Amino acid sequence: MDFRLNDEQEMLRQMVADFADQILAPEVMKRDREGTFPHAEIAHAGELGLLGMIVPEEWGGAGLDTVSYAVALMEIARVCPSSAVTLSVSNSVCAYPIWRYGNDEQKERYLRPLATGKIIGGFCLTEAQAGSDATNQKTRAVRQGDHYVLNGTKVWVTNAHVGKVFIVMAVTDPQAARGGISAFIVTPDMPGFSFSAKEEKMGLRASCTSSVVLDDCLVPVANLLGHEGDGMRIPLNALDGGRIGIAAQAVGIAVGAHEEAVKYALERTAFGKPIAQHQAIAFQIADCATEIDAARLLTLRAASRRDEDHDRAGPEAAMAKLYASEMCNRVAYKAVQIHGGYGYSRDYAVERFYRDARVTSLYEGTSEVQRIVISRAVLAG
Ligand SMILES: Cc1cc2nc3c(=O)[nH]c(=O)nc-3n(C[C@H](O)[C@H](O)[C@H](O)COP(=O)(O)OP(=O)(O)OC[C@H]3O[C@@H](n4cnc5c(N)ncnc54)[C@H](O)[C@@H]3O)c2cc1C
């Protein structure tokens, strides 16, 4: 068993780390304070192939494996977790399902611009009453001639306002078991599509989130993704990959917070010596380093499992997401603790990491939902 990245993966990691340090880092605090989306920085990421990482080259993507994808997101999140979620959502739950389930016409029209970084995309599953209980969809899609008419409201849509293509789940057959849900490729220029006001979030302040309102939204029949009634199969498979992306984001946040904590512990003195020399602080640093490594390995294992079989990595992805997200909250907490009162100041990066960390155990399935997925797999034997 070899735990090292191969040469290509290591080169990619270095390239993305340089991009993060040189392009994302300079204004990361300002974007967080002002809540501004990193338009230029994400466009730059697109030029580097980071918006089509797991899309094959024939569709304009970088054709990377899932391990490389996870490593890249870790490096982005180490510096700018808002950019990491923007890229993760566009790659895993928008571009990927179009590549996996779309026809050639849909791929040419929507996947190629996504993969080549000309546009970013989003994913609309959650509704007010359908978060963890995702099959409880109320959005309806009724076929009328060459169109489906969609009505409903999707909440908490990452890349709202900035995205140009969204995978939207809606009920096509209310009588069917598991809700008769179908997936559609929807664009904001379709009649009846609108975004609501941006959410004021605790963290990830530079990412854009809002509801999507579908009011007699006219979606061409050609934009049905897969087949009618395929719906939950498509988002659930996409979310397995998405959860690896969020696990990687969580590892990156933890690394970023931990690096700040280590630096501070070596500089800050109390009782005549750097606080790193107080064993209580050194042991916290040891625990964080160990937990980060464990989460990284779980995440890379899930990514490697997905590379082996895109339909069988659910439990591994759930374990990685569960552990990495809860780990990153613990590490961010300790990073603030090690900073003392200064950790509570907006002048220090750990304060932002602490807020950014919080959502990782909530979105793309809460920790409780991950435990449901894992326990089902374990109990099924
Ligand atoms: C910043 C942000 C961005 C997001 N981006 C997107 C996006 O792009 N697209 C999208 O579709 N969604 C998105 N979401 C939505 C996110 O996936 C949901 O918020 C999440 O799935 C939880 O759903 P909920 O908020 O309705 O909570 P609920 O489902 O109401 O859960 C509330 C609590 O009950 C617990 N719970 C629920 N059911 C069970 C159960 N059976 N057993 C034990 N505990 C349970 C949950 O774990 C949680 O603790 C985003 C959310 C946030 C905060």
Side-chain angles (χ1 to χ4, degrees), residues 132 321-322 361-371:
S132 305
K321 204 274 189 180
L322 170 64
S361 62
L362 299 172
Y363 60 17
E364 300 210 11
T366 61
S367 285
E368 291 72 26
V369 166
Q370 308 310 324
R371 288 186 172 97

Side-chain angles (χ1 to χ4, degrees), residues 19 35 60 97 130 134 160 168 214 227 229 260 303 321 333 346 361 365 381:
F19 165 72
V168 176
L214 304 158
H227 304 101
E260 293 294 325
K321 204 274 189 180
Y333 177 92
R346 294 227 152 165
S361 62

Side-chain angles (χ1 to χ4, degrees), residues 85 89 93 121-134 137 154-160 166-167 169 199 201-204 207-210 239 243 321 358-372 376:
V85 72
V89 165
V93 288
F123 175 81
C124 305
L125 177 64
T126 307
E127 299 179 3
Q129 77 299 328
S132 305
D133 189 7
Q137 298 275 307
K154 297 294 180 175
V155 300
W156 289 113
V157 177
T158 300
N159 294 343
F166 293 85
I167 307 300
M169 269 48 71
E199 297 291 345
K201 305 193 296 294
M202 171 199 283
L204 299 182
S207 80
C208 231
T209 323
S210 85
L239 282 170
R243 285 168 185 166
K321 204 274 189 180
R358 189 62 192 88
V359 76
T360 60
S361 62
L362 299 172
Y363 60 17
E364 300 210 11
T366 61
S367 285
E368 291 72 26
V369 166
Q370 308 310 324
R371 288 186 172 97
I372 292 172
R376 275 188 192 147

Side-chain angles (χ1 to χ4, degrees), residues 84-291:
V85 72
T86 301
L87 297 175
S88 175
V89 165
S90 195
N91 274 283
S92 315
V93 288
C94 185
Y96 176 83
I98 298 177
W99 170 66
R100 179 85 194 270
Y101 301 101
N103 56 41
D104 282 1
E105 202 182 311
Q106 292 169 339
K107 288 180 191 173
E108 196 55 59
R109 187 144 187 211
Y110 300 109
L111 181 60
R112 195 176 293 286
L114 282 165
T116 51
K118 295 194 170 53
I119 59 172
I120 62 172
F123 175 81
C124 305
L125 177 64
T126 307
E127 299 179 3
Q129 77 299 328
S132 305
D133 189 7
T135 50
N136 188 25
Q137 298 275 307
K138 297 267 185 280
T139 297
R140 292 280 182 269
V142 177
R143 180 144 180 194
Q144 283 182 9
D146 292 342
H147 287 83
Y148 284 92
V149 182
L150 270 61
N151 277 289
T153 300
K154 297 294 180 175
V155 300
W156 289 113
V157 177
T158 300
N159 294 343
H161 295 267
V162 292
K164 299 289 182 222
V165 52
F166 293 85
I167 307 300
V168 176
M169 269 48 71
V171 176
T172 39
D173 181 1
Q175 311 308 326
R178 285 177 69 79
I181 295 161
S182 303
F184 298 89
I185 305 172
V186 182
T187 57
D189 57 358
M190 290 177 181
F193 183 111
S194 62
F195 296 115
S196 64
K198 293 178 191 172
E199 297 291 345
E200 285 296 333
K201 305 193 296 294
M202 171 199 283
L204 299 182
R205 306 255 327 145
S207 80
C208 231
T209 323
S210 85
S211 296
V212 162
V213 181
L214 304 158
D215 182 10
D216 283 339
C217 180
L218 282 182
V219 178
V221 167
N223 282 34
L224 176 68
L225 187 59
H227 304 101
E228 265 200 25
D230 266 352
M232 284 318 280
R233 185 168 71 96
I234 294 176
L236 290 182
N237 184 278
L239 282 170
D240 286 348
R243 285 168 185 166
I244 295 170
I246 301 307
Q249 182 197 27
V251 171
I253 293 172
V255 170
H258 186 58
E259 283 176 358
E260 293 294 325
V262 169
K263 213 165 41 178
Y264 192 80
L266 291 168
E267 282 166 6
R268 175 74 173 172
T269 57
F271 298 93
K273 56 186 179 183
I275 59 171
Q277 288 179 22
H278 295 291
Q279 200 177 57
I281 300 292
F283 278 13
Q284 288 189 59
I285 287 170
D287 287 345
C288 290
T290 306
E291 288 204 58

Side-chain angles (χ1 to χ4, degrees), residues 16 19-20 23-25 27-28 31 36-43 45 50-51 53 69 72-91 120 158-159 204-208 245-246 249 253 352 356 363:
V16 179
F19 165 72
I23 307 296
L24 295 177
E27 303 222 323
V28 67
R31 289 195 298 273
T36 46
F37 184 80
H39 288 282
E41 292 81 355
I42 293 296
L50 302 180
L51 277 158
M53 286 190 258
Y69 170 62
L73 283 179
M74 287 175 193
E75 290 297 338
I76 302 276
R78 173 179 62 79
V79 173
C80 180
S82 290
S83 295
V85 72
T86 301
L87 297 175
S88 175
V89 165
S90 195
N91 274 283
I120 62 172
T158 300
N159 294 343
L204 299 182
R205 306 255 327 145
S207 80
C208 231
I246 301 307
Q249 182 197 27
I253 293 172
R352 176 174 51 83
D356 287 349
Y363 60 17

